[in-house]
Amino acid sequence: MVLTGAAAWFFWAFALIALIAGLFTVLSRSAVHSAVCLMTTLFATAGLFLLLGAEFVMGVQILVYVGGVVVLFLFVIMLVNVREERLENARLFSRQWLIAAICATVLGLAMWFGIRLADPYQNLRAEIPPAEATEAKTNPQGATPVSKNSETLAWSLYTQAALPFEIASLLLLVAILGSVLLARTSRQERIDERSVFRD
Amino acid sequence: MIDGSLFDLSASTTKFLILSSLLFVIGVGGVLARRNIIVIFMSIELILNAVNINFIAFTRHWQVLGKINEHTGELFTIFVITVAAAEAAIGLGIVVSLYRNRETVAVDEIDLLKW
Amino acid sequence: MLKLLFLVPTLPLIGAILNGLFGRRFRFSERTVAAIACGTTGLSLLIAIGAIIDYSRSLAPTLYRNTAFAYTWFDGGLARTVTGSVRQFRVEWIYQLDPLAAVMMFIVTFVGFLIHVFSVGYMSGEGGYYRFFSFLNLFMFMMLVLVLASNFTMMFVGWEGVGLCSYLLIGFYFERDEAAYASKKAFITNRIGDMGFLLGVFGVFALFGTLDFGELAEVFRSGGAASYVESLGQWGVMSWIALGLFVGAAGKSAQIPLFVWLPDAMAGPTPVSALIHAATMVTAGVYLLARVNYIFAAAPSAMVVVAIIGALTALLGAAIGLTQNDIKKVLAYSTVSQLGLMFLACGVGAFTAAIFHVFTHAFFKAQLFLGSGSVIHSLHHEQDMRKMGGLKKYLPKTHWTMIASWLAICGVIPFAGFFSKDEILHRTFLNGKVLYAIAIVASFLTAFYMTRLMAMTFWAPERFDHQPHESPPIMWIPLAILGVLALVAGWVGIPHALGGSNNFAAWLEPILIKTAANTEVHEASSSIELSLMLVSLLVALAGILLARWIYLKRPEVADSLSETAAGVPYRMSLNKFYVDEAYNVFPIGATLRTSEVLMQVDARGVDGLANGSARLTQIGSSISNWLDKYVVDLLVNLQGWLVRAGSVVLRSVQTGLVQNYALLMVLGLIAFVVYLIAAR
């Protein structure tokens, strides 16, 4: 697959934003800054998903990841970090930062070699089949037809991945219960205990 | 880097893979190097994100190569996002509990299981 | 009756066992003990007399071997003598009877029985009654084994046995120091003599390959030993053997130099002194010489030694006995002196005369001892003659019986001692004038001191403290019997010169084996014999009268003599010529010092070695300890230390920081990725 022309420019843009934002996520002093940078990375990634034709996933990414997870992060930062920012002007990185950097670099190099060893780009440079291009041209009104991506994805989801789907819903249930229990205050726990014993 | 894959301005799957691995490496560095546990969690989200990019890139790759109805990568991504969300919820719940007990969010200071 | 010969020694043995093992346990009364002891001995006496009569009627003078209850003790193989001849060696336990053994057996059983009876009265009331009679019976058994033995080995059993019984009986009052010391001295001195005895026996065995008396006699009779017979002046192997046997006899019969135990042996009860140290045990030596007279006859040089020592002993004994104040000591030295006479007789070849003197001496000496016992008993154990005197009035029976023995020992005709002593003097005169002179002097001294004894005890003015009382019949009847024998016993040997037929010598004649050396019996004329008799009578009379004059008429002479010029010999005699003191210096002192030196060797050397080895073991074990502590423990501890050190290193992995664990996970991931790439 090769993206050419304008898609390529968008690719570079999104890619660079994602990378730089990711870098800042890791290197920011303030946790809020890190959260915002994370959000940026996720938005950029969503854009990349769109470029690659996965519209549904893009939507899910923005709704769930950005709208849910990052907001959750921000709430928790608010809960725990307020004092943290003022009091601690201490180290940002732990004592193993050097080894961490080296490991990351080595890992990167290893993956680079892995990518290089893959089939030398012929496969990866395959042209987009003419069928899709034809379909893009045969619509004269200029209106872009609705992508069939969600439809086919839904078909795959509810047929191929039906079991993981159900399990995922179970997982979410457990996560909900778990997070409610974990986040209880001790006062809430005592109230509950008393109500249990009264039975 | 002798071949022109990097200096080529078109975005091939290779480029997506390189991007994905870079993001992954950044995320790993963050997990290993930062003291603030919230930031570590964010780095984990970065990693997961990088993996998602990888999946979607390959979905498109295979679709381009012939399999119209190939959605495996996307499905996988959906589930990764789901699990990431659940994990974030639980993890942050733990962080809150931890903060209530130890009054700190620096992982350096939580070493009760030290020898 | 002859067949019952084996009972003669066995009956006293049974009595000894009964009294010894059961006397204390079952608390035999004195009567029971006495009945067993005297009963067995008396029965033995009757059988002995019967056997002798039987023997004299039927078999005499051939050797009789009693085969009932005999058994083979050693059955050796073939014995090779030094000459190379080979003989079957066998030692048997079998009693034999021949004229010599018959005489001795009679003496032992008869005198033994009388002394048993006497002891019943003498020892009554003493502690250890059963023990005394048990030992006395045991002694009878041992002495009879000695006398009736058919070979050297059996005789040696009896020899040692009588020594043992002597030790037991001398030390009867073992709580007294002097008795214990005296018994030890007797036994040890005896053992020194036994060394010589055994050497002699070994020599006999080496030369002839047999220890049996009958076989030896046969060898000598048939001339098989002709090559060993020596002549006077030669000193060969036969003389050595004879000397060895004589040393044994000297130990047993108290000759110079081994006589020192006999006077000390008087610490035992008086009946013991009478039986063992007058009548029987001490005559065992003379018996030995008579038994193997052929060996001595073949070694004339040794016979000279025997004669000289016998004469000197006779003189020395008499010289010491002259001044002693203890009545028993006087009699002891008298015994030494008389034994010397017996050995003198053996030395000049008059074996029959020696045995005759043994015969008569047994009766009168036993009588004298028992009489002194009666005196001591009546004076409540007073033994010092200076505290006696005038007892003639109070102890008439004792007195008159002792008169008989006194006259016998002085050698007054017709009492027993005259005939036997006279025969000895006669034969001595024929063989050596010097010896005769010594013997005559000894006889004079004997008469003197015996009269002194009688005077101080019975005839001198009274000097005692307590009122004495006559002894009971059980004590004076044996005295009387012996007194009568002291008178008549000599009449069996009246010599031809006086018209008798000398039955005794004729009876004993067959045991002598004539070899070239002693065949020359100087048959002197009757006139010499008669004149010699007269001389000895006169000498005896002189002694008696002199003593009577000194001790009865002029007692102050004795005292003044002891202080003046005669004082030195007097003190020498009184102190027994310091023989015991000399012995303490030389053999005894040397032995003690040698043993002390050896003890030092043992304490330092041997114990040093032992302690040294213990020290080595200690050092070894401390090295071991060090090795264990510093090497072995080092290794063990090293392991532990390594584990700890390793764990100190390894546990640093557990930092408790999650980020470190994450790092490790990433490292694992890197490894995995690298592997995947490399495997491509």
Side-chain angles (χ1 to χ4, degrees):
Chain A
M1 167 222 35
V2 175
L3 292 174
T4 50
W9 285 107
F10 272 111
F11 165 75
W12 284 108
F14 282 138
L16 283 169
I17 291 170
L19 276 172
I20 293 167
L23 214 57
F24 274 112
T25 306
V26 170
L27 299 174
S28 293
R29 177 163 281 277
S30 161
V32 178
H33 293 178
S34 294
V36 171
C37 292
L38 179 68
M39 199 168 67
T40 313
T41 307
L42 294 172
F43 270 121
T45 312
L48 286 173
F49 288 168
L50 189 60
L51 275 176
L52 291 170
E55 296 102 12
F56 184 71
V57 178
M58 175 203 82
V60 167
Q61 166 103 345
I62 290 176
L63 279 172
V64 172
Y65 239 139
V66 177
V69 173
V70 176
V71 171
L72 183 59
F73 268 115
L74 282 167
F75 271 118
V76 172
I77 289 170
M78 175 188 73
L79 276 176
V80 306
N81 244 9
V82 176
R83 234 189 298 156
E84 196 72 19
E85 271 190 70
R86 281 184 223 137
L87 288 176
E88 298 233 29
N89 272 345
R91 307 189 311 270
L92 209 56
F93 295 105
S94 67
R95 287 213 297 228
Q96 63 177 24
W97 63 271
L98 185 61
I99 300 175
I102 292 169
C103 279
T105 317
V106 169
L107 190 59
L109 282 172
M111 288 199 269
W112 165 266
F113 274 114
I115 295 168
R116 289 259 336 264
L117 281 171
D119 203 351
Y121 318 113
Q122 284 138 14
N123 218 357
L124 299 175
R125 292 172 137 277
E127 295 282 335
I128 298 173
E132 227 179 274
T134 316
E135 197 190 332
K137 282 189 184 119
T138 54
N139 200 337
Q141 280 109 358
T144 318
V146 174
S147 162
K148 289 223 190 290
N149 175 267
S150 301
E151 194 178 325
T152 48
L153 178 64
W155 273 109
S156 296
L157 182 63
Y158 295 121
T159 54
Q160 275 183 343
L163 183 60
F165 184 74
E166 300 301 329
I167 293 174
S169 64
L170 201 62
L171 176 71
L172 286 171
L173 174 66
V174 170
I176 290 168
L177 285 169
S179 58
V180 166
L181 273 170
L182 274 173
R184 279 217 272 188
T185 59
S186 43
R187 188 158 36 106
Q188 280 175 320
E189 292 213 0
R190 264 183 265 134
I191 290 169
D192 251 348
E193 269 175 26
R194 260 186 274 143
S195 65
V196 166
F197 285 139
R198 244 186 231 141
D199 280 350
Chain B
M1 290 172 262
I2 305 163
D3 65 358
S5 67
L6 198 61
F7 299 110
D8 187 355
L9 281 178
S10 63
S12 63
T13 311
T14 310
K15 297 259 186 335
F16 276 100
L17 291 185
I18 293 169
L19 169 68
S20 160
S21 62
L22 277 174
L23 270 179
F24 183 86
V25 165
I26 290 169
V28 165
V31 165
L32 295 180
R34 285 297 302 249
R35 282 181 71 231
N36 196 331
I37 199 163
I38 314 277
V39 175
I40 290 173
F41 259 109
M42 291 188 217
S43 307
I44 290 172
E45 300 304 331
L46 263 186
I47 290 170
L48 291 169
N49 201 46
V51 167
N52 285 344
I53 297 175
N54 200 344
F55 279 133
I56 304 292
F58 267 106
T59 308
R60 187 64 182 155
H61 176 81
W62 294 120
Q63 282 175 352
V64 162
L65 278 182
K67 286 190 191 170
I68 301 291
N69 285 325
E70 172 71 24
H71 288 296
T72 311
E74 289 173 294
L75 289 172
F76 226 116
T77 305
I78 288 173
F79 287 119
V80 169
I81 291 172
T82 309
V83 170
E87 169 227 336
I90 302 284
L92 289 170
I94 292 175
V95 167
V96 167
S97 292
L98 192 65
Y99 179 72
R100 281 193 194 144
N101 269 307
R102 292 279 147 201
E103 301 285 312
T104 181
V105 288
V107 289
D108 282 34
E109 294 168 20
I110 303 165
D111 58 354
L112 285 175
L113 285 180
K114 194 163 103 132
W115 64 264
Chain C
M1 197 64 96
L2 207 49
K3 286 203 184 48
L4 297 177
L5 185 65
F6 69 93
L7 279 180
V8 175
T10 314
L11 280 170
L13 178 66
I14 294 172
I17 290 172
L18 280 174
N19 269 333
L21 289 181
F22 306 119
R24 182 169 163 140
R25 222 162 168 269
F26 296 112
R27 271 172 254 242
F28 286 174
S29 69
E30 279 192 6
R31 233 194 251 173
T32 319
V33 168
I36 292 176
C38 296
T40 51
T41 316
L43 207 58
S44 173
L45 171 65
L46 290 173
I47 297 175
I49 292 176
I52 294 174
I53 294 175
D54 247 350
Y55 178 72
S56 65
R57 269 200 227 140
S58 56
L59 285 177
T62 56
L63 192 62
Y64 167 72
R65 291 270 169 97
N66 181 249
T67 50
F69 286 98
Y71 72 91
T72 307
W73 191 4
F74 304 127
D75 195 355
L78 294 174
R80 185 183 300 274
T81 68
V82 292
T83 53
S85 64
V86 162
R87 223 180 244 289
Q88 179 72 24
F89 176 61
R90 180 181 280 120
V91 170
E92 290 173 343
W93 187 275
I94 189 168
Y95 298 112
Q96 77 173 19
L97 196 61
D98 72 349
L100 177 62
V103 170
M104 294 301 294
M105 180 173 75
F106 175 71
I107 295 174
V108 170
T109 48
F110 189 73
V111 177
F113 175 69
L114 288 177
I115 293 184
H116 272 77
V117 171
F118 181 85
S119 309
V120 170
Y122 188 81
M123 297 294 289
S124 92
E126 298 252 359
Y129 199 74
Y130 77 97
R131 193 161 51 96
F132 181 81
F133 279 101
S134 169
F135 290 158
L136 215 59
N137 270 2
L138 187 67
F139 170 80
M140 295 288 292
F141 167 69
M142 291 294 182
M143 191 69 204
L144 286 164
V145 163
L146 195 160
V147 162
L148 296 174
S150 57
N151 54 59
F152 268 114
T153 323
M154 204 172 149
M155 185 191 227
F156 190 64
V157 170
W159 192 269
E160 287 298 306
V162 296
L164 170 73
C165 292
S166 168
Y167 165 83
L168 290 172
L169 283 164
I170 295 173
F172 182 72
Y173 301 117
F174 54 80
E175 282 142 10
R176 278 199 232 153
D177 279 346
E178 52 176 7
Y181 183 72
S183 66
K184 193 175 58 166
K185 186 173 177 178
F187 195 77
I188 291 176
T189 317
N190 244 248
R191 285 299 270 170
I192 295 173
D194 290 346
M195 184 180 70
F197 182 91
L198 281 174
L199 288 176
V201 170
F202 295 156
V204 166
F205 183 69
L207 283 188
F208 302 108
T210 178
L211 294 175
D212 188 276
F213 293 136
E215 281 182 23
L216 273 174
E218 231 2 89
V219 167
F220 274 85
R221 221 185 294 266
S222 62
S227 52
Y228 294 112
V229 171
E230 298 162 13
S231 52
L232 191 60
Q234 264 187 313
W235 188 275
V237 60
M238 212 48 140
S239 295
W240 282 114
I241 292 174
L243 187 66
L245 292 173
F246 174 64
V247 167
K252 191 65 81 185
S253 301
Q255 299 299 296
I256 293 173
L258 299 172
F259 66 94
V260 290
W261 63 271
L262 190 53
D264 287 21
M266 297 300 119
T270 310
V272 168
S273 309
L275 180 61
I276 300 184
H277 306 124
T280 43
M281 188 181 96
V282 294
T283 57
V286 187
Y287 170 72
L288 171 70
L289 259 61
R291 171 59 73 205
V292 288
N293 57 78
Y294 32 84
I295 292 180
F296 282 87
S301 319
M303 297 246 291
V304 170
V305 173
V306 170
I308 293 175
I309 289 186
L312 288 175
T313 309
L315 188 60
L316 182 67
I320 299 177
L322 210 51
T323 54
Q324 299 299 310
N325 289 315
D326 182 341
I327 191 172
K328 284 178 73 174
K329 285 270 186 351
V330 175
L331 291 174
Y333 283 107
S334 162
T335 308
V336 170
S337 177
Q338 297 296 308
L339 288 169
L341 277 184
M342 294 177 215
F343 278 95
L344 173 60
C346 289
V348 297
F351 293 101
T352 50
I355 297 293
F356 189 28
H357 200 58
V358 167
F359 184 69
T360 55
H361 174 265
F363 299 124
F364 61 69
K365 193 45 74 65
Q367 207 284 331
L368 282 169
F369 265 109
L370 292 185
S372 73
S374 172
V375 166
I376 292 169
H377 184 79
S378 73
L379 283 177
H380 301 285
H381 294 283
E382 177 57 68
Q383 288 184 253
D384 193 330
M385 289 196 293
R386 295 171 290 195
K387 296 220 183 81
M388 301 179 190
L391 289 174
K392 174 176 172 182
K393 197 161 50 167
Y394 300 96
L395 306 173
K397 299 187 186 66
T398 309
H399 173 242
W400 286 109
T401 49
M402 279 185 81
I403 291 245
S405 310
W406 163 63
L407 289 173
I409 196 172
C410 291
V412 172
I413 206 170
F415 290 88
F418 168 75
F419 297 103
S420 55
K421 200 195 316 196
D422 188 74
E423 188 163 345
I424 294 177
L425 289 174
H426 172 220
R427 294 293 291 270
T428 309
F429 180 80
L430 293 177
N431 281 303
K433 307 292 184 284
V434 176
L435 291 174
Y436 177 76
I438 296 175
I440 278 287
V441 170
S443 306
F444 171 74
L445 292 175
T446 304
F448 182 84
Y449 68 69
M450 285 311 296
T451 314
R452 168 178 176 261
L453 183 146
M454 294 297 283
M456 284 175 80
T457 309
F458 292 105
W459 307 324
E462 295 176 10
R463 273 175 299 206
F464 48 78
D465 309 323
H466 322 275
Q467 184 75 354
H469 56 87
E470 179 61 270
S471 315
I474 200 162
M475 284 168 71
W476 67 254
I477 290 181
L479 285 179
I481 297 175
L482 286 171
V484 166
L485 276 172
L487 170 63
V488 306
W491 296 350
V492 297
I494 299 180
H496 295 286
L498 289 176
S501 50
N502 207 344
N503 298 322
F504 198 84
W507 170 256
L508 281 182
E509 191 71 24
I511 64 150
L512 295 178
I513 295 174
K514 306 271 187 257
T515 64
N518 69 356
T519 322
E520 34 183 327
V521 174
H522 299 259
E523 282 295 341
S525 62
S526 319
S527 56
I528 293 185
E529 199 170 341
L530 284 169
S531 31
L532 287 172
M533 279 187 213
L534 205 59
V535 167
S536 62
L537 268 175
L538 286 173
V539 160
L541 220 56
I544 293 172
L545 288 173
L546 185 61
R548 192 165 164 274
W549 179 71
I550 291 180
Y551 288 98
L552 285 181
K553 300 286 194 276
R554 304 272 177 91
E556 65 276 10
V557 175
D559 298 326
S560 65
L561 268 179
S562 67
E563 263 122 50
T564 60
V568 167
Y570 172 76
R571 264 198 305 285
M572 292 277 285
S573 163
L574 187 60
N575 288 311
K576 309 167 289 174
F577 291 95
Y578 302 104
V579 174
D580 277 320
E581 286 77 0
Y583 279 178
N584 267 340
V585 168
F586 171 50
I588 297 175
T591 311
L592 287 176
R593 248 180 297 287
T594 313
S595 78
E596 268 168 35
V597 167
L598 289 175
M599 189 200 85
Q600 288 301 320
V601 168
D602 177 62
R604 301 226 186 102
V606 175
D607 281 359
L609 281 174
N611 289 342
S613 78
R615 189 93 194 90
L616 276 174
T617 312
Q618 250 187 340
I619 292 173
S621 82
S622 67
I623 289 177
S624 217
N625 180 33
W626 184 89
L627 275 177
D628 181 58
K629 237 169 58 164
Y630 291 110
V631 174
V632 175
D633 280 0
L634 180 78
L635 289 170
V636 171
N637 289 344
L638 187 70
Q639 282 182 316
W641 181 85
L642 275 173
V643 169
R644 281 183 86 205
S647 79
V648 165
V649 167
L650 287 173
R651 72 183 168 197
S652 53
V653 173
Q654 291 279 344
T655 55
L657 296 174
V658 179
Q659 256 182 340
N660 293 346
Y661 302 155
L663 179 64
L664 292 171
M665 279 161 52
V666 168
L667 285 171
L669 178 67
I670 292 173
F672 191 56
V673 168
V674 166
Y675 167 71
L676 278 178
I677 294 170
R680 272 300 211 127

